[in-house]
Amino acid sequence: MSLASEVKLSLTPNYPKKFAGLITGDKWFEAKREGDGAEGLWRIHDGLYDVSEFVQSHPGGSSWLEMTKGTDITEAFESHHLSSAPEQMLKKFYVRKAVKHRNSPFTFEEDGFYRTLKRNIQPVLKTIPKNTSRTTDLVTDALVVATFLTAICACKLSSFAIGVISACILTFGSIASHNHFHKRDNFRMYYFNLCLMDFRGWRVSHVLSHHLFTNTIYDLEAVTWEVLAPHFPVKKPFFTKCRSFVTITLLWVAFYFLAYLFKIISMIQSRKVYISDFIPFTLPLAMYLTCGVDLQVVLKMWLFIVTVSSFVFAAIGTSASHHHPDAFHEGDAPRAKKLDFGIHQLDTTYDRCEVTGNPFLVLTTFGDHALHHLFPTIDHGALQYLYPVFEKTMKEFGIDNQMKPLSEMFVGLYRQLLREEPHLLPRGSRNT
């Protein structure tokens, strides 16, 4: 049975059901192009734009516009452009008004929460210390260098204890580099590929899908996990619940390897191979060239490091913010059928008490997650400076950004795997 026929589509009822259960970025874009009413152009709100001549000049990189042609990019445009300048520039690319109504449930009213918050943070952005992003860059660079050094030491000394340390550093470096592929094209986004994953694929599944349509049927990350570890609130046989507890742990272990397997399949289907696809193998190559040991020994230690890192990365990622039973998941009652984009982000997100306020943990464990979802292009190191105006704006709109302990978020992940009944009241109306 398809996922769309099992989940009550409480927020995205117009989702093309024939694409239920999709697991590839290409299929996701196919679903978007079918339902977005962009008519082969780029849709923003109710306008159609032809930015073909601007693609190569796009400050963020041409790939963002190339892959989104024929879709509604309203959410991406709003959350990735914080000033009014891009909106003014758009006018010269305007073609006509779209015929179909927007398929998205999210709104961006001028006096709504999200646009109000965007305006309110403008003065704050000008006061953030200029070396903030530089510090983030240096920490990310240091983590990558440390990954290589500890991996070489682990191999040279045949120490699996050092291998565990190397795996943790690889995890932290990979999560830190995620900060960079949200931004305009830069060399640090390539660090992400060191762990067998691919920043290009994540720009679709994570940046354009998960970030913009969190915990809905359009969230490619959520739907992909749903195949083996269902966490949407639907009826689940006892065997499925038991299986989920086992498979989610196995998925953590195999996460990197499955990601690279999908990458290989994508390369075969698209017949496109990038030099960056071979970045993961620079680590075992460095180990082999510097350690003077047999290739078999190198591969054994490298696979150990990657496997441990895969487990840690996936465990952090799945329990960091969204998959707690109190958070909104497709099927739960939303606050409204047409919902402010920013409020939805808060309804699907929890931050962790122990992480917020610690710049290193924020960068390396998906911290300050609510603000990151609201403003994904702002450097992780700068998010801490937004809290005063963030909290003030939330108070004005009668909403809050709730935090929970790490332990509760981790246990909450398993509780969500067991949850069958949708919440009948929106998150803001529940005692959570």
Side-chain angles (χ1 to χ4, degrees):
M1 186 179 294
S2 71
L3 182 63
S5 62
E6 294 179 25
V7 180
K8 178 185 176 183
L9 301 182
S10 56
L11 195 56
T12 54
N14 297 322
Y15 178 80
K17 291 190 176 182
K18 74 174 185 176
F19 292 102
L22 57 90
I23 59 172
T24 67
D26 289 341
K27 281 289 185 181
W28 186 79
F29 274 125
E30 190 177 340
K32 289 273 289 171
R33 290 188 178 99
E34 178 178 293
D36 282 356
E39 303 177 42
L41 300 170
W42 288 266
R43 178 173 185 164
I44 300 175
H45 298 294
D46 289 326
L48 298 181
Y49 300 84
D50 186 355
V51 297
S52 301
E53 296 180 357
F54 180 67
V55 169
Q56 298 304 320
S57 304
H58 183 236
S62 60
S63 63
W64 294 109
L65 294 178
E66 289 171 345
M67 62 184 169
T68 56
K69 185 177 182 180
T71 69
D72 183 342
I73 60 171
T74 302
E75 285 77 13
F77 181 83
E78 288 280 354
S79 60
H80 286 69
H81 303 100
L82 303 183
S83 72
S84 59
E87 196 166 358
Q88 296 301 316
M89 184 185 297
L90 262 185
K91 294 178 181 179
K92 65 180 180 180
F93 299 111
Y94 181 79
V95 177
R96 62 181 177 275
K97 186 176 180 179
V99 175
K100 292 183 178 180
H101 291 294
R102 260 184 29 94
N103 202 28
S104 170
F106 303 126
T107 63
F108 297 87
E109 301 296 336
E110 201 61 40
D111 59 351
F113 170 73
Y114 188 66
R115 281 210 162 186
T116 300
L117 181 60
K118 279 177 70 173
R119 288 194 300 272
N120 290 349
I121 68 168
Q122 295 303 317
V124 181
L125 294 177
K126 297 175 183 178
T127 65
I128 294 174
K130 294 183 179 180
N131 66 341
T132 299
S133 60
R134 180 60 178 162
T135 300
T136 300
D137 294 345
L138 291 175
V139 171
T140 306
D141 293 341
L143 287 169
V144 172
V145 172
T147 297
F148 276 87
L149 293 178
T150 52
I152 290 170
C153 288
C155 186
K156 186 76 173 179
L157 301 175
S158 298
S159 172
F160 287 98
I162 298 178
V164 170
I165 295 173
S166 182
C168 291
I169 297 174
L170 173 60
T171 302
F172 294 151
S174 300
I175 296 176
S177 64
H178 137 272
N179 172 59
H180 297 280
F181 67 62
H182 275 283
K183 303 178 182 181
R184 63 182 62 192
D185 289 351
N186 62 91
F187 76 87
R188 289 183 178 87
M189 66 187 182
Y190 291 97
Y191 291 165
F192 190 72
N193 285 34
L194 192 61
C195 66
L196 287 178
M197 292 192 289
D198 175 41
F199 78 87
R200 287 187 179 85
W202 269 59
R203 277 186 160 182
V204 179
S205 65
H206 184 76
V207 179
L208 295 175
S209 179
H210 165 70
H211 259 258
L212 305 182
F213 304 97
T214 314
N215 284 4
T216 72
I217 208 74
Y218 272 114
D219 182 345
L220 184 53
E221 286 187 356
V223 171
T224 301
W225 281 98
E226 194 76 5
V227 175
L228 293 175
H231 50 260
F232 284 128
V234 295
K235 291 295 181 182
K236 303 166 186 173
F238 178 75
F239 172 76
T240 300
K241 295 178 182 179
C242 295
R243 185 197 67 189
S244 295
F245 276 52
V246 176
T247 54
I248 195 167
T249 305
L250 295 176
L251 284 170
W252 291 346
V253 173
F255 189 64
Y256 287 174
F257 302 100
L258 290 173
Y260 202 75
L261 176 61
F262 282 123
K263 177 60 184 175
I264 293 173
I265 294 173
S266 175
M267 286 191 289
I268 294 173
Q269 291 177 340
S270 65
R271 297 183 180 180
K272 290 183 180 179
V273 179
Y274 300 95
I275 294 177
S276 59
D277 295 331
F278 300 98
I279 288 177
F281 306 108
T282 59
L283 185 57
L285 179 62
M287 295 162 68
Y288 179 71
L289 293 176
T290 58
C291 291
V293 296
D294 292 340
L295 180 60
Q296 183 178 353
V297 175
V298 170
L299 292 178
K300 182 179 179 181
M301 181 58 71
W302 174 63
L303 289 173
F304 173 78
I305 291 171
V306 171
T307 301
V308 173
S309 179
S310 175
F311 179 87
V312 178
F313 181 101
I316 292 173
T318 52
S319 63
S321 183
H322 304 294
H323 299 308
H324 187 281
D326 293 338
F328 172 88
H329 290 75
E330 187 82 72
D332 293 330
R335 293 183 191 241
K337 293 299 181 183
K338 289 295 182 180
L339 181 63
D340 183 274
F341 173 78
I343 293 178
H344 174 74
Q345 295 300 331
L346 296 182
D347 282 350
T348 57
T349 305
Y350 280 99
D351 274 307
R352 294 154 293 168
C353 309
E354 300 89 341
V355 173
T356 299
N358 185 315
F360 180 77
L361 291 180
V362 166
L363 177 64
T364 58
T365 65
F366 300 110
D368 286 345
H369 213 69
L371 278 171
H372 173 55
H373 263 250
L374 292 166
F375 307 113
T377 59
I378 294 180
D379 189 88
H380 272 59
L383 294 175
Q384 59 183 312
Y385 298 101
L386 304 184
Y387 269 102
V389 70
F390 179 39
E391 292 169 353
K392 181 180 178 181
T393 307
M394 286 192 294
K395 186 176 181 180
E396 291 174 4
F397 282 82
I399 54 180
D400 60 10
N401 175 37
Q402 296 184 19
M403 297 193 183
K404 292 184 181 293
L406 276 164
S407 57
E408 185 173 342
M409 290 302 299
F410 193 78
V411 173
L413 169 64
Y414 289 93
R415 288 174 55 204
Q416 181 61 28
L417 290 173
L418 296 175
R419 183 161 76 96
E420 296 181 314
E421 297 300 323
H423 290 303
L424 301 180
L425 294 175
R427 175 169 159 178
S429 303
R430 290 183 261 125
N431 295 320
T432 58

